[in-house]
Amino acid sequence: MNKIVEWATHWPDAEINQIKLFAHQGRGENKLRRNRFYEQFGIRFDYKDNTHAEGIARPMQARSLTPWTQLPNNLCVMRLDEFLDEQEECLAKTQLDQRAHQRQIENLYSEITHAFDHPVWFATKTIWAKHNHLIVGAFIIGGLIWHLW
């Protein structure tokens, strides 16, 4: 946007096409960011109501636009090839994560299918996993009582 504003200011008498903001384009925090984004370039809006969710830019000439003199702290300039490399790395990582999640889903599906096919075995394994210390203790105490009897 800053490059467009810089370019447009080469023709200071040029009329700027009005920007229309629609309510469905901005909600909550996003609406504030959206409005501030345009306003930082000198574009002013006539809003339909106090929520500033919808409005139309006031008529203006290019001379009224204000390009940035300094890049904001939360932005940086990258060469296109660097950006594309970064995006490609991000995509590759996301694809690996997706495959790992797909394997987890398949494993869980296999486990649930096995549990439905063998409910008694599943119940036995679950009870043993959760209460094996109690079961072993009960057998030891039972064995001692049996032995002493």
Side-chain angles (χ1 to χ4, degrees), residues 10-149:
H10 288 100
W11 297 274
D13 295 329
E15 294 293 322
I16 303 298
N17 288 343
Q18 290 179 308
I19 296 170
K20 294 178 183 176
L21 303 176
F22 297 99
H24 71 275
Q25 294 172 324
R27 292 185 182 85
E29 182 79 16
N30 182 49
K31 175 183 64 181
L32 296 172
R33 276 196 311 270
R34 175 200 65 183
N35 296 357
R36 191 172 53 241
F37 173 78
Y38 289 113
E39 290 168 355
Q40 72 184 343
F41 293 107
I43 302 168
R44 300 293 172 247
F45 291 89
D46 290 323
Y47 294 104
K48 286 195 173 186
D49 59 25
N50 290 339
T51 67
H52 292 193
E54 192 167 339
I56 189 163
R58 295 177 185 158
M60 67 184 296
Q61 293 181 320
R63 73 170 43 88
S64 299
L65 292 171
T66 54
W68 293 333
T69 56
Q70 182 177 340
L71 198 62
N73 292 336
N74 63 340
L75 296 179
C76 67
V77 175
M78 297 177 77
R79 290 192 349 247
L80 181 59
D81 61 330
E82 291 172 345
F83 172 76
L84 292 174
D85 287 345
E86 185 178 292
Q87 292 300 302
E88 191 173 354
E89 287 176 27
C90 185
L91 176 62
K93 182 185 179 311
T94 302
Q95 288 172 334
L96 284 174
D97 290 346
Q98 181 185 18
R99 283 195 290 275
H101 288 134
Q102 187 62 39
R103 282 192 302 274
Q104 288 176 329
I105 290 169
E106 290 167 2
N107 290 340
L108 290 171
Y109 182 77
S110 176
E111 285 183 37
I112 196 89
T113 301
H114 189 266
F116 279 119
D117 291 345
H118 308 284
V120 174
W121 178 245
F122 174 75
T124 304
K125 280 183 11 180
T126 302
I127 291 169
W128 177 258
K130 290 185 177 187
H131 304 291
N132 61 15
H133 59 286
L134 294 175
I135 296 169
V136 170
F139 274 109
I140 290 173
I141 291 172
L144 285 172
I145 292 173
W146 177 262
H147 179 66
L148 293 174
W149 192 314

